[in-house]
Amino acid sequence: MRYLPLTQDDRRVMLAKIGVASVDELFRDVPQSARAARFELPGHAGEIEVERMLEGLASQNVAAGSRPFFCGAGAYRHHVPASVDHLIQRSEFLTSYTPYQPEIAQGTLQVLFEFQTQVAMLTGMEVANASMYDGSTATAEAVLMAHRITGRNRTVLAGHLHPHYAETVGTMAGLVGEIVTGPVTPGQDENLAALIDGNTSCVVVQNPDVFGMVRDLKPIAASAHAQGALLIAVFTEAVSLGLVEPPGGMGADIVAGEGQSFGNGLNFGGPYVGLFASREKFLRQMPGRLAGETVDADGRRGYVLTLSAREQHIRREKATSNICTNSGLCALAFSIHLSLLGEAGLMRLAKINHAKAMALAERLTKVSGVKLITPAFFNEFTLNLPKPAVEVVDTLLDRGIVAGIRATRLYPHEAGLTNQLIVAATELTTDEDIAAFGRALEEVLSC
């Protein structure tokens, strides 16, 4: 096969080097129940026949918009205006993906500059970069950046930080330092201040957290700064910044987050767009790229790549970060969607999201035995059910309701979360969806 140049001996050497006996072992972390049987495609069929078969396979998926949908926990179903897709395809933006030559990449560079401005304004920070791969890798890069700034390598992670983000931090930063994680106590303060000491580089806190709780970060920022540590504020729902006080206003030193909510659909989990911002005094330690505005020899406005260490590309061992690109197309979609909204539109969208979540919480807590355990939330919250959440979610799915994320899916080894369900509502959640969820939940719990 001309597209697979490696020989069997090459493959054996590679597998031995990484410590596995076969290619199948690379997939051992994927549960057997989630693995599909081998697809038996027609051996000799025309294009139309193959397309029909693939369409049949695709139709077995449950699209988020096909039924009442209440999943969140890091990926949110929002309306993306049709104009976003139209605009991202315009020729002004179809310039070099890696804008090394500004004279032929002005469209790309200006978009990145505008994107950075929007992210800085959203987060309440002084500078932002030209995007990261996604929220989880942005969080890990923030931890590594804090290590470089403080000269320390001990990290305190909030127990309510999204577990996938925490795992990414462990993968990228765990090899170069100690990681301490706070307790998992949904709806309660974790008392992270007790975990901070003079060797702590940074404290990583998510707001709203993975259980949906909104909190004031000022006390934990003060505790971190008193020990010479930095506060890294993380978010997974960018729409919340239209209503919740931005992390920069609460004392955050570095902000990392996920921008999928603007301009980007769920897309089966990606690609997404990571947001990254910090105080200006830490600019030189920021990962990735930063576009800047300047003037040319004739005094005309222009844009250039102001910050992008060459070491990221040719001497990786000396780099502050090895991210060599950015989610350019997803960042463009983010920026266009946010531009279409404007400040007033963003605030109105955020209020609609919060109102939908309030209506959902009010309806579901009328169901006997259901308790709301998130005292303050934006558009996502956690419920305690009188039955194991896995049973409820599966039964509701059979009734056409995608009820949310059971907490044990995110924390499989954490005791006490068996009956807890994380649900989210957005502007796409209808009153009929909420009513259907409430009726179905009553029926399931009464059985």
Side-chain angles (χ1 to χ4, degrees):
M1 295 180 67
R2 57 182 175 171
Y3 298 115
L4 299 175
L6 299 176
T7 66
Q8 289 297 333
D9 287 340
D10 292 333
R11 295 190 182 95
R12 278 193 289 270
V13 170
M14 293 169 69
L15 291 170
K17 189 69 174 178
I18 61 176
V20 297
S22 67
V23 172
D24 291 338
E25 285 193 41
L26 298 175
F27 300 92
R28 62 190 174 198
D29 291 332
V30 179
Q32 194 66 41
S33 60
R35 303 184 192 182
R38 181 183 296 274
F39 292 133
E40 297 297 337
L41 297 178
H44 299 281
E47 184 176 338
I48 294 176
E49 288 76 19
V50 173
E51 284 181 354
R52 286 173 180 162
M53 183 175 184
L54 293 176
E55 287 171 356
L57 292 172
S59 67
Q60 297 177 31
N61 291 317
V62 176
S66 65
R67 59 194 63 190
F69 182 86
F70 300 92
C71 290
Y76 302 90
R77 180 174 173 252
H78 289 288
H79 173 66
V80 178
S83 49
V84 171
D85 187 57
H86 173 75
L87 290 171
I88 64 177
Q89 298 180 61
R90 287 182 61 90
S91 61
E92 294 95 323
F93 305 122
L94 297 179
T95 51
S96 170
Y97 185 67
T98 303
Y100 292 128
Q101 295 176 276
E103 62 274 17
I104 61 171
Q106 284 299 293
T108 296
L109 287 164
Q110 180 171 358
V111 165
L112 296 180
F113 182 82
E114 302 293 352
F115 169 84
Q116 292 164 185
T117 303
Q118 291 172 325
V119 173
M121 293 177 68
L122 269 180
T123 58
M125 302 300 285
E126 295 161 346
V127 292
N129 72 8
S131 84
M132 308 291 286
Y133 296 132
D134 57 22
S136 64
T137 50
T139 301
E141 290 281 3
V143 171
L144 293 172
M145 176 176 165
H147 289 355
R148 295 191 297 271
I149 293 169
T150 63
R152 305 171 181 177
N153 60 9
R154 183 177 184 270
T155 303
V156 174
L157 299 182
H160 300 174
L161 174 68
H162 197 298
H164 297 171
Y165 286 42
E167 289 176 14
T168 305
V169 171
T171 299
M172 294 181 63
L175 296 176
V176 296
E178 175 190 5
I179 296 177
V180 179
T181 304
V184 180
T185 53
Q188 301 177 34
D189 190 347
E190 302 172 67
N191 191 26
L192 293 177
L195 301 178
I196 307 172
D197 61 21
N199 296 318
T200 300
S201 164
C202 57
V203 182
V204 185
V205 182
Q206 181 176 328
N207 189 47
D209 67 25
V210 71
F211 297 103
M213 182 172 168
V214 176
R215 65 184 65 203
D216 182 3
L217 300 183
K218 295 185 183 72
I220 190 62
S223 298
H225 295 158
Q227 295 285 359
L230 303 181
L231 176 65
I232 298 174
V234 176
F235 59 88
T236 60
E237 172 54 290
V239 175
S240 67
L241 295 173
L243 198 59
V244 177
E245 183 176 3
M250 291 191 279
D253 300 290
I254 306 172
V255 177
E258 176 56 63
Q260 171 267 324
S261 293
F262 292 115
N264 293 274
L266 290 170
N267 301 332
F268 292 95
Y272 289 166
V273 52
L275 310 182
F276 196 103
S278 80
R279 301 295 179 192
E280 187 173 6
K281 61 184 178 181
F282 303 137
L283 175 63
R284 288 292 177 182
Q285 291 298 333
M286 285 182 68
R289 300 171 176 161
L290 191 144
E293 185 181 87
T294 185
V295 293
D296 65 11
D298 298 321
R300 295 175 301 185
R301 182 175 63 173
Y303 299 91
V304 295
L305 208 57
T306 302
L307 179 67
S308 178
R310 287 290 294 171
E311 285 77 7
Q312 291 174 212
H313 310 277
I314 60 176
R315 290 189 297 171
R316 300 184 68 181
E317 73 281 359
K318 296 183 181 298
T320 55
S321 166
N322 287 323
I323 178 172
C324 296
T325 183
N326 61 297
S327 298
L329 183 62
C330 297
L332 172 61
F334 172 101
S335 192
I336 290 174
H337 190 177
L338 202 53
S339 297
L340 291 169
L341 283 170
E343 183 176 357
L346 171 59
M347 294 178 67
R348 185 164 60 249
L349 176 63
K351 289 178 180 178
I352 293 171
N353 272 251
H354 182 57
K356 290 290 186 180
M358 291 288 288
L360 179 63
E362 181 179 2
R363 176 62 183 92
L364 297 183
T365 51
K366 288 181 179 178
V367 179
S368 178
V370 176
K371 295 181 180 179
L372 175 67
I373 63 174
T374 310
F377 56 86
F378 171 62
N379 69 351
E380 190 167 25
F381 53 84
T382 301
L383 299 170
N384 196 72
L385 307 177
K387 289 183 177 181
V390 61
E391 299 176 13
V392 175
V393 169
D394 289 346
T395 306
L396 286 173
L397 188 59
D398 292 336
R399 295 172 180 240
I401 307 290
V402 184
I405 307 293
R406 54 184 173 84
T408 51
R409 182 174 180 178
L410 298 176
Y411 296 91
H413 306 298
E414 195 71 37
L417 302 182
T418 304
N419 290 18
Q420 294 185 5
L421 179 67
I422 304 169
V423 298
T426 70
E427 74 280 6
L428 293 178
T429 304
T430 66
D431 294 341
E432 291 76 17
D433 291 340
I434 294 173
F437 191 0
R439 287 193 303 269
L441 187 60
E442 285 176 335
E443 294 170 3
V444 169
L445 295 181
S446 64
C447 295

